[in-house]
Amino acid sequence: MITPELPQLPFPRRDILDVAPLYRTLQDTAPISPVRTPAGDVAWLVTRHAEAKTLFADPRLGRSHPNPSQAARISDAALLGGPMGDPATEVADHTRMRRLLTPAFSARRMHTLGAHVADMVEDLLDQLAEQTPPADLHEALSFKLPVLVICELLGVPYADRDRFRVWSSGAAGLTDRAAASAALGQLVAYMHELIARKRVEPGEDVISDLIAAQNQSHYGDQQKAALAAGLLFAGHETTVARIDYGTLLLLTYPDQRDALCHDPALVDSAVEEILRMAAPSGGGLPRYAQADIDIAGVTIRTGDAVLLAGAAANRDPAAFPDPDRFDITRNPNPHLAFGHGPRFCIGASLARLELHAVFAALPQRFPSLQLAVPLDQLELRTDLLTGGLTALSVTW
């Protein structure tokens, strides 16, 4: 039975740009506090920047659980809804995976991709300009660009985007575990078929590289398919939400939009501030304790679930002066949007590249861009793991 004394995620927000006020209360009073997950189980919620940064890098936290059937569930999503992996091999498996994928996100590859991404953005903005406003920027830019980029990087046919969009959305569903697992299975099966085609007709792409590295990686086709499916999902879903949020922040803070228009050199710091401020979903990244951990006056016991609330930590006044202010000149900006430590997001360079291309071009091309509906009429996808907006209606 769910006891009423613990707060349950997701916490209510005042508006879609804000983080829930309860996060700030917990930062002040109990930065590591027990809560109910959306699935109704108990987990430790970490809301303060210092503790979140420490625990992101703590090797005693992982994604696996010694007794998965007894582990707290975070949600009914097929991805990040509960534990995964084997405690005995998790560190070695993670190290091997990162070694295999590092070339895919190398500085050389990102540099080569950079000019092409900028061209993609210009093409999409050309198409947007041909529309009669208002238009949905979510469909016109925020969704299309990350899909174009991840398809090119992985070697996935862009023509298949509608198929894997349905599967990705289904796998991220928070309320029906069977349906989410089935959608994820379809996405993996699709990647398995693509790997078979790439083995016959390889290209200059990550999936072909994974096939070529088979002898060194010791990954079978099913493992490669699951890895590629994870890259396809993570490589576009999270960036979609951040493009939406970055645009929304610039439109809500016109002084910052004007500053970026007048000084395009601010784009790098603007991207970092967008990453800090974007809060497309509630909760946090799930981990499970592999040993007892004493921190901030509490003891996290072996097997306990831990949620690292990066969005809340990124609004911690102890780490960020005036934390709720969107300031594209903020420096330093030690946000945790990509985590910290050994599990720092391997795709961070790709996300930054896409955001840089968008926000270098969008304010210059559409300096009069504005919301076409009131802020309170925009809807969050509370039914999806990745959250984000259902639509972003703009005019110019």
Side-chain angles (χ1 to χ4, degrees), residues 281-298:
S281 62
L285 286 175
R287 298 285 187 266
Y288 293 91
Q290 314 293 336
D292 289 356
I293 302 172
D294 293 312
I295 184 171
V298 304

Side-chain angles (χ1 to χ4, degrees), residues 19 24 27 47-49 52 56 242 272-279 309-317 319-320 322-325 330 333-339:
V19 295
R24 182 62 50 76
Q27 282 176 344
T47 54
R48 204 155 60 190
H49 187 276
F56 264 120
R242 283 165 169 163
E272 297 309 308
E273 184 70 343
I274 288 166
L275 289 167
R276 183 185 75 86
M277 289 283 284
N314 287 341
R315 305 285 187 98
D316 183 354
F320 303 95
D322 197 6
D324 296 320
R325 160 76 176 160
R330 187 180 295 274
N333 194 342
H335 64 76
L336 299 173
F338 298 117

Side-chain angles (χ1 to χ4, degrees), residues 181-252:
S181 297
L184 180 60
Q186 288 177 300
L187 188 58
V188 173
Y190 168 80
M191 284 299 183
H192 205 290
E193 294 174 1
L194 186 58
I195 286 170
R197 298 204 303 268
K198 290 284 182 181
R199 181 167 283 113
V200 177
E201 298 179 356
E204 294 292 327
D205 54 67
V206 171
I207 292 178
S208 298
D209 291 350
L210 293 178
I211 295 169
Q214 183 164 355
N215 292 336
Q216 292 78 27
S217 69
H218 306 290
Y219 273 56
D221 279 3
Q222 189 63 25
Q223 289 174 300
K224 289 198 291 288
L227 185 58
L231 287 173
L232 180 62
F233 175 87
H236 79 277
E237 287 282 357
T238 55
T239 308
V240 170
R242 283 165 169 163
I243 294 173
D244 277 345
Y245 261 78
T247 303
L248 187 54
L249 284 162
L250 288 170
L251 298 186
T252 306

Side-chain angles (χ1 to χ4, degrees), residues 17-31:
L17 284 178
D18 200 4
V19 295
L22 185 52
Y23 283 121
R24 182 62 50 76
T25 300
L26 292 176
Q27 282 176 344
D28 294 339
T29 61

